[in-house]
């Protein structure tokens, strides 16, 4: 092969990403949450409550539930609908689904409690 760049510089296509979720090839998902977020959570929150916290490329990150349980509002975006549905299923959270008229083909999955809103679309389509 010609000039193979390093793996870390490789861009994963949307199709490859969706296939990772379909096949369960999600070694990047941390069941216990990301250690750096745990370590620096107090710094991030800085004693504040009721924050609106954005999770780009959220997958089914468990931290979204933790932060919502602390009283924060969570907004995530993820292209894999499967990942978002797994998030709600694994936390036994009821949710409703609605289209996002401004973004063709996009959906918003929102917890019935209203504090978790996850957009199923490309992050580049989200304003």
């Amino acid at each position: 092969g010609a000039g193979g760049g390093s793996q870390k510089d490789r861009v994963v296509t949307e199709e490859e990403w969706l296939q990772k979720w379909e096949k369960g090839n999600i070694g990047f998902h941390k069941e216990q949450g990301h250690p750096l977020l745990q370590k620096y959570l107090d710094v991030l929150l800085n004693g504040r409550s009721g924050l609106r916290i954005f999770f780009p490329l959220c997958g089914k990150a468990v931290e979204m539930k933790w932060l919502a349980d602390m009283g924060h509002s969570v907004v995530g975006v993820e292209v894999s609908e499967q990942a978002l549905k797994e998030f709600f299923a694994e936390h036994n959270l009821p949710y409703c689904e609605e289209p996002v008229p401004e973004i063709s083909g996009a959906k918003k999955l929102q917890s019935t409690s209203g504090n978790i809103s996850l957009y199923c679309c490309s992050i580049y389509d989200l304003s």
Side-chain angles (χ1 to χ4, degrees), residues 24-89:
N25 183 11
I26 55 169
F28 49 82
H29 174 69
K30 303 204 179 313
E31 292 288 341
Q32 305 306 315
H34 198 287
L36 288 176
L37 184 54
Q38 292 174 26
K39 180 176 179 179
Y40 293 106
L41 186 60
D42 291 340
V43 174
L44 170 70
L45 300 179
N46 194 21
R48 298 171 293 176
S49 58
L51 295 178
R52 188 166 185 234
I53 302 173
F54 180 55
F55 276 79
L57 314 176
C58 64
K60 58 178 183 176
V62 297
E63 297 90 337
M64 296 189 293
K65 173 87 166 61
W66 301 344
L67 289 161
D69 287 348
M70 290 180 210
H72 302 290
S73 172
V74 171
V75 177
V77 63
E78 169 62 54
V79 75
S80 170
E81 184 175 356
Q82 178 179 341
L84 300 180
K85 288 185 172 182
E86 285 181 15
F87 169 80
F88 286 108

Side-chain angles (χ1 to χ4, degrees), residues 16 18 33 39 59 74 79 83 102 105 112 118 122:
E16 288 172 316
L18 293 172
K39 180 176 179 179
V74 171
V79 75
E102 306 82 17
T112 53
L118 306 181
S122 166

